[in-house]
Amino acid sequence: MKLDTRAMRHLTAEDWKVLAAVEQGSKNHELVPVPIIERFSRLKGGSSLVSKCISTLAKTSLIAKMKEAKYDGYRLTYGGLDYLALHTHSQKNHIYSVGTRVGVGKESDIMLVADHTGAQQILKIHRLGRISFRTVKTNRDYLKKNASGSWMYLSTLAARKEYAFLSALHQAGIPVPIPIAHSRHTIVMSLVDAPPLRQISSVPDPAALYSSLIELYLRLAKHGLIHGDYNEFNILIREDSSPTNPEEIVLTPIVIDFPQMISMEHVNAEMYFDRDINCIKIFFERRFHFKATMPGPFYKDVKKTVGKDGFERLDATLEASGITKKMAKDLEVAIRQHEEEKERNPEAFEPSDDEDEEEDEDEEDEDEEEENTNDKEGEEPSIIIGFKAAPLGTEEGMEKLRIHDKT
């Protein structure tokens, strides 16, 4: 789904209170009864004003009814969750305007935003389950066994987990985007003006870049962490000037995407470790025709280095961030089920015609152009490292978040 902020300027303070009430009621109700919405919103205008606000929110698809429901109630939509997150970021001056979508992940949207000073940043919106809504019936058993296991709940957990790791890794000196803020299923982080590894067709020294990627992965391992999805899609390559020779370009890898990160003590740690390392080896052999002469690294050898040589263990970061073991388990099971379902039924994960029809025509054309240039599997990469990349965007085209909440 697209992030459309145009309706935000028309929402009143009462509308925001009713929307927040639906979110609060969703913790215990799949469909929040209207009397509970009235009680949580605490509007002085009573039920008539609540009904008016509900009508406004429903027309903009921020809340929705369920077909054949046994009582009068509403559920929060992803659009409603988006607005609540943006509202929080706007009130805290983390986001002032929203620009275009600059990337689409397997389960996330990446938006270009700016703060009140005009500084450009990235807004990552987790949408776990977005692609797999058409396969929800096959996954329904999991959702039944876990009353709290809605997609929005899991998306919020994914964002919370990623923000916790981003913060810990940044403090530890690992090259990652700088975390700025977190609200619900969204993260605001610094803009890294660098292409993903998958878009790069040529580098001056593949062996040096391969070595730096493996070294970076081993640094994560020494902190007790396994990325879990370490591949050409989740590694940005930034061109920096050499500290010793300003005219020389140094390639700096930046790691992104951490919801699936696990501990080196995980029961399947060795499998994920080997998979990550093999992904890099296979990519370099296929893309740059480079094959490492040295075998490894191997999990059993690397595990002996965890927490040694002054490396702080960061695999306890989740507990420190307030994510319980049950929450972490919920997220892990959902991600694993998603991967298994995609392997069994890959066709179901392709965008449907119905979804395309829901898109705004202008935005649809823009996204088709973006996907045609960047996201088609099998398309030849077009970036040669050594030339400075153009900035991702400018202030022009940014949509200011006008929020009439009387605060």
Side-chain angles (χ1 to χ4, degrees):
M1 66 172 292
K2 297 288 184 63
L3 176 62
D4 186 353
T5 63
R6 289 174 294 185
M8 292 189 75
R9 67 188 66 188
H10 305 298
L11 297 185
T12 65
E14 290 75 19
D15 292 330
W16 285 111
K17 289 181 180 178
V18 171
L19 187 59
V22 176
E23 179 190 34
Q24 184 180 355
S26 298
K27 296 177 181 178
N28 297 312
H29 300 272
E30 184 177 7
L31 191 67
V32 186
V34 171
I36 290 182
I37 298 175
E38 293 175 355
R39 189 173 74 219
F40 285 169
S41 60
R42 299 179 182 178
L43 297 188
K44 295 181 180 179
S47 58
S48 61
L49 181 55
V50 171
S51 297
K52 180 182 177 182
C53 293
I54 286 176
S55 177
T56 298
L57 298 173
K59 286 179 181 178
T60 51
S61 300
L62 303 182
I63 60 175
K65 279 193 169 185
M66 292 182 66
K67 294 180 180 179
E68 301 178 359
K70 295 181 179 179
Y71 57 89
D72 190 18
Y74 293 83
R75 63 175 179 84
L76 185 69
T77 66
Y78 255 125
L81 193 65
D82 290 346
Y83 269 41
L84 287 168
L86 285 173
H87 190 181
T88 299
H89 288 311
S90 177
Q91 286 185 319
K92 295 181 178 180
N93 293 324
H94 294 137
I95 294 180
Y96 179 79
S97 57
V98 176
T100 57
R101 187 168 69 177
V102 296
V104 182
K106 288 181 293 186
E107 297 289 352
S108 62
D109 286 330
I110 311 299
M111 305 294 300
L112 183 66
V113 298
D115 63 15
H116 64 287
T117 68
Q120 293 183 358
Q121 301 167 157
I122 287 296
L123 173 69
K124 181 173 183 178
I125 308 174
H126 285 266
R127 301 197 190 283
L128 192 64
R130 172 187 60 184
I131 303 174
S132 54
F133 274 130
R134 291 181 299 282
T135 64
V136 162
K137 289 182 180 179
T138 62
N139 292 333
R140 189 71 70 178
D141 288 344
Y142 170 69
L143 297 177
K144 281 183 178 179
K145 294 176 183 177
N146 297 269
S148 57
S150 72
W151 294 120
M152 282 183 278
Y153 162 75
L154 294 168
S155 294
T156 300
L157 280 186
R160 188 172 175 179
K161 177 179 179 180
E162 181 164 23
Y163 185 77
F165 276 130
L166 263 179
S167 301
L169 292 171
H170 175 63
Q171 292 176 5
I174 301 294
V176 296
I178 301 172
I180 297 172
H182 159 247
S183 175
R184 297 171 175 85
H185 63 317
T186 67
I187 300 173
V188 180
M189 64 186 79
S190 64
L191 170 64
V192 179
D193 188 11
L197 181 59
R198 68 183 175 88
Q199 290 184 358
I200 296 172
S201 61
S202 178
V203 295
D205 189 350
L209 181 58
Y210 173 83
S211 177
S212 65
L213 292 178
I214 296 299
E215 181 183 354
L216 177 55
Y217 194 83
L218 295 182
R219 284 177 63 189
L220 289 173
K222 288 181 179 180
H223 283 295
L225 298 172
I226 292 175
H227 186 279
D229 202 13
Y230 197 68
N231 55 45
E232 65 271 23
F233 292 90
N234 294 324
I235 301 171
L236 309 179
I237 304 298
R238 188 179 64 199
E239 297 172 318
D240 295 328
S241 297
S242 171
T244 58
N245 182 6
E247 296 184 358
E248 181 183 348
I249 291 179
V250 177
L251 302 183
T252 304
I254 311 292
V255 191
I256 60 174
D257 199 18
F258 303 100
Q260 66 289 319
M261 184 169 272
I262 61 172
S263 168
M264 284 285 285
E265 306 296 334
H266 190 277
V267 63
N268 295 321
E270 186 170 4
M271 183 272 290
Y272 285 110
F273 181 94
D274 291 341
R275 188 179 72 175
D276 282 351
I277 295 297
N278 286 332
C279 278
I280 298 301
K281 289 184 175 183
I282 292 171
F283 176 81
F284 268 73
E285 186 172 355
R286 184 181 71 244
R287 177 64 53 82
F288 304 125
H289 308 293
F290 169 81
K291 188 172 183 178
T293 56
M294 294 289 292
F298 301 105
Y299 171 79
K300 293 180 180 179
D301 297 329
V302 176
K303 188 176 180 182
K304 298 175 183 178
T305 69
V306 174
K308 303 290 181 61
D309 301 324
F311 281 83
E312 178 187 0
R313 295 201 62 153
L314 300 178
D315 46 350
T317 298
L318 281 187
E319 285 188 37
S321 69
I323 295 182
T324 65
K325 291 182 179 179
K326 180 185 179 302
M327 291 177 179
K329 185 66 175 178
D330 284 349
L331 182 58
E332 181 182 338
V333 170
I335 291 175
R336 186 174 66 249
Q337 284 196 348
H338 175 78
E339 291 178 348
E340 292 173 352
E341 181 62 31
K342 188 173 182 179
E343 290 179 1
R344 288 195 298 267
N345 189 16
E347 294 82 7
F349 287 76
E350 295 297 328
S352 68
D353 293 337
D354 292 340
E355 287 175 342
D356 290 341
E357 290 173 359
E358 294 176 358
E359 310 286 5
D360 179 87
E361 291 185 1
D362 293 336
E363 291 179 336
E364 186 179 38
D365 292 339
E366 177 185 327
D367 281 344
E368 285 179 358
E369 180 179 350
E370 176 185 328
E371 290 171 6
N372 286 339
T373 56
N374 293 333
D375 293 332
K376 285 186 177 179
E377 290 189 11
E379 182 175 284
E380 288 298 321
S382 59
I383 297 177
I384 299 175
I385 285 293
F387 296 91
K388 291 292 182 181
L392 286 177
T394 63
E395 287 188 44
E396 184 178 357
M398 289 287 194
E399 177 71 17
K400 179 183 175 183
L401 296 182
R402 297 182 178 90
I403 301 176
H404 301 312
D405 55 3
K406 299 179 182 180
T407 58

